[in-house]
Amino acid sequence: MDAVRIYGGKSLSGQTKIQGSKNASLPILAATLLTDGICEIENCPDIADVYHMLRLLRSLGCQIERRGDVIRVDTTRLSECDMPADSVGVMRSSIMLLGALLARTGEVSMEYPGGCVIGKRPIDLHLYALRRMGVEIEEGETAFCAKASRLVGTVQELPFVSVGVTENLILAAVLASGETVIHPAAREPEIQALCEFLICAGAKIAGAGTDRLVIEGVEKLHPTRFRVPADRIVAGTYLTACLCAGGRVFLQDAPCAHMESVIACAERFGARLGRETDGLLVEGRADRRLEGGLTTAVYPGFPTDLQSLFMVVMAVSGQDGFIEEDVFENRFRIVPELVKMGACIQIAGTKAYIRGGHSLHNTIVEAQELRGGAALVVAALAAEGTGIVKNRHFIDRGYEDITLRLRELGAAVELA
Ligand code: EPZ
């Protein structure tokens, strides 16, 4: 079955290695198109979204080889500029190929990437900003065609911070003629990793990690080898597993420097955390009330991708609280499933109010999307009885074998 079975009520003890970052790997794999030769990307996670990105690269004529956690991408024989609709539709991150392909081939035809349950996820700002770099875009009902004889650097004053738009503009700007300024740029660690990869390949980028990026276009980039950083959202996920089930775990390679807001929040819930040179030690269960609630924000604020996970922490902590989702318009899909488990949660606009004192019991629940699915597994760890989380395929999009990793942490979970 496409599900996870969880035997709840058991505290955790053990350690697991945190996988490479999904949201750094995807734009970096797209960026390999900007070089003409063989790039080697280390520490790429073995997850469905990376599989779909590699399938798209193959459809464009790239030769792909995975040797352990190293992915070799040979872009010498780039042949196509049309991507298979089924892979584009399945994975939103296909939009990241837009900027790279325009820079490399000057032409792209692709379906509109799928939205998903967390929001409409339009690409209007992507298209608006690329048009300002000289890209001609013809929009159809289900697909669009973009052309640019030469991308022209320009000042991009954006109306709001967008991770994907920042990535696409970086990919379009590194080989453009002249200088591009992106402001406000997203500051996520995944953007910093993308800039580091491109600088290793010969790009001229200043301001990585700040809200203002200045990119001087160069003639050519060369292939390079790069190691993807550990995934801060996966580390945060297993951190919440310990906050909910209790116990003591060590998250090897957890990127603590990229998790400040998450670590501070976990400590406010009463957990004891130890930053080690090679990871994060987590001890104890969440048992304190989070005064003032929790609001998601762009980095370095609290990450929207851990909003569902901390909603579960709040529900399990037995305390009243609220969570505000300020990034996506529909990211409370987990609530009806948590209510089936006995949680008492009310949604009012962008806020979800969690009532304490309602212990969770296990039952059959259904993942609706990636992070909410992982959060349901975490909730089941703390709930009484045996639970099933269906639609495991959503979780597999971003987590390497979540049942294996949780078993390494002492959880009683199995594929179902
Ligand atoms: C990236 O999505 C991540 N995905 C998301 O992680 C993450 O939640 C999000 O950034 C915010 O941090 C990847 O990196 C592959 P945005 P992205 O553009 O780039 C609106 C996960 O679980 N918007 O920063 O799509 C948009 O609808 C995923 O790993 C427009 O309106 O996010 C959203 O409300 C989920 N028009 C807001 O901006 C546009 O043209 C921020 O989205 C583009 C975005």
Side-chain angles (χ1 to χ4, degrees):
M1 205 164 61
D2 173 20
V4 182
R5 182 177 292 109
I6 303 100
Y7 301 92
K10 185 173 181 295
S11 65
L12 302 186
S13 170
Q15 77 168 46
T16 190
K17 183 179 181 306
I18 300 302
Q19 70 185 58
S21 165
K22 166 176 89 79
N23 292 350
S25 302
L26 295 173
I28 287 170
L29 287 170
T32 61
L33 291 172
L34 296 171
T35 70
D36 186 359
I38 299 176
C39 285
E40 294 186 320
I41 312 301
E42 288 177 48
N43 202 30
C44 264
D46 186 8
I47 55 176
D49 273 14
V50 166
Y51 164 80
H52 282 294
M53 178 58 82
L54 296 178
R55 186 160 175 265
L56 286 169
L57 292 177
R58 278 197 191 92
S59 71
L60 295 167
C62 298
Q63 306 291 313
I64 305 286
E65 190 185 348
R66 182 187 265 276
R67 289 182 181 166
D69 80 345
V70 178
I71 291 181
R72 287 161 56 91
V73 184
D74 184 346
T75 62
T76 318
R77 281 181 296 284
L78 213 53
S79 54
E80 288 295 317
C81 57
D82 292 4
M83 287 173 275
D86 57 340
S87 263
V88 169
V90 157
M91 189 186 67
R92 266 197 55 74
S93 317
S94 47
I95 191 65
M96 264 165 235
L97 289 162
L98 178 55
L101 273 176
L102 282 169
R104 177 70 187 269
T105 67
E107 184 174 350
V108 190
S109 300
M110 66 186 285
E111 304 275 306
Y112 290 106
C116 60
V117 289
I118 67 174
K120 288 194 303 298
R121 303 187 76 181
I123 60 167
D124 51 339
L125 187 56
H126 289 259
L127 302 186
Y128 164 78
L130 288 171
R131 281 184 168 117
R132 296 197 65 249
M133 293 182 73
V135 180
E136 287 162 30
I137 300 173
E138 218 172 292
E139 297 188 60
E141 276 300 298
T142 60
F144 64 89
C145 179
K147 284 187 185 148
S149 48
R150 177 84 164 135
L151 288 157
V152 180
T154 184
V155 175
Q156 297 276 16
E157 280 296 341
L158 301 174
F160 54 84
V161 173
S162 158
V163 169
V165 171
T166 302
E167 289 165 345
N168 246 333
L169 290 181
I170 291 168
L171 295 173
V174 287
L175 294 175
S177 63
E179 180 180 85
T180 299
V181 176
I182 305 170
H183 177 263
R187 299 172 54 194
E188 273 70 1
E190 295 78 29
I191 303 265
Q192 295 173 55
L194 174 62
C195 291
E196 284 160 20
F197 165 77
L198 289 166
I199 291 166
C200 287
K204 289 184 179 166
I205 304 173
T210 74
D211 71 349
R212 189 171 187 275
L213 290 172
V214 181
I215 300 164
E216 186 58 46
V218 295
E219 276 309 306
K220 200 168 164 47
L221 294 178
H222 55 73
T224 187
R225 184 178 175 103
F226 186 79
R227 183 170 182 80
V228 168
D231 193 311
R232 61 191 173 100
I233 303 301
V234 169
T237 300
Y238 297 136
L239 161 57
T240 61
C242 187
L243 297 190
C244 291
R248 187 174 191 275
V249 298
F250 182 67
L251 305 179
Q252 187 190 331
D253 294 350
C256 300
H258 298 157
M259 299 174 67
E260 292 303 342
S261 62
V262 177
I263 289 171
C265 183
E267 288 170 335
R268 287 169 62 195
F269 270 109
R272 290 174 301 288
L273 281 76
R275 290 171 178 76
E276 314 285 341
T277 49
D278 59 345
L280 180 65
L281 182 63
V282 186
E283 209 164 0
R285 181 195 301 270
D287 55 12
R288 258 190 248 152
R289 187 168 188 280
L290 188 69
E291 299 300 333
L294 188 56
T295 301
T296 64
V298 297
Y299 191 87
F302 187 84
T304 173
D305 292 349
L306 287 173
Q307 179 257 102
S308 299
L309 281 300
F310 273 84
M311 183 184 291
V312 170
V313 173
M314 225 172 252
V316 168
S317 71
Q319 312 290 332
D320 289 355
F322 74 85
I323 285 194
E324 184 165 22
E325 172 57 57
D326 260 6
V327 176
F328 287 104
E329 70 269 24
N330 193 18
R331 206 167 195 178
F332 288 142
R333 297 296 296 260
I334 187 179
V335 170
E337 302 304 308
L338 288 178
V339 169
K340 279 185 205 166
M341 296 175 72
C344 180
I345 303 173
Q346 249 102 35
I347 298 173
T350 60
K351 281 187 181 163
Y353 292 88
I354 296 99
R355 304 276 309 156
H358 294 259
S359 56
L360 300 187
H361 56 269
N362 268 313
T363 179
I364 296 176
V365 292
E366 297 197 14
Q368 308 293 318
E369 37 83 27
L370 166 57
R371 305 300 178 188
L376 288 171
V377 173
V378 168
L381 293 175
E384 285 311 314
T386 301
I388 294 276
V389 176
K390 297 171 77 173
N391 300 332
R392 191 184 72 239
H393 63 275
F394 284 121
I395 303 170
D396 292 344
R397 284 192 50 196
Y399 294 83
E400 272 182 350
D401 199 339
I402 195 167
T403 52
L404 171 67
R405 298 286 185 257
L406 286 172
R407 277 204 301 274
E408 288 172 346
L409 296 176
V413 298
E414 61 195 11
L415 298 180

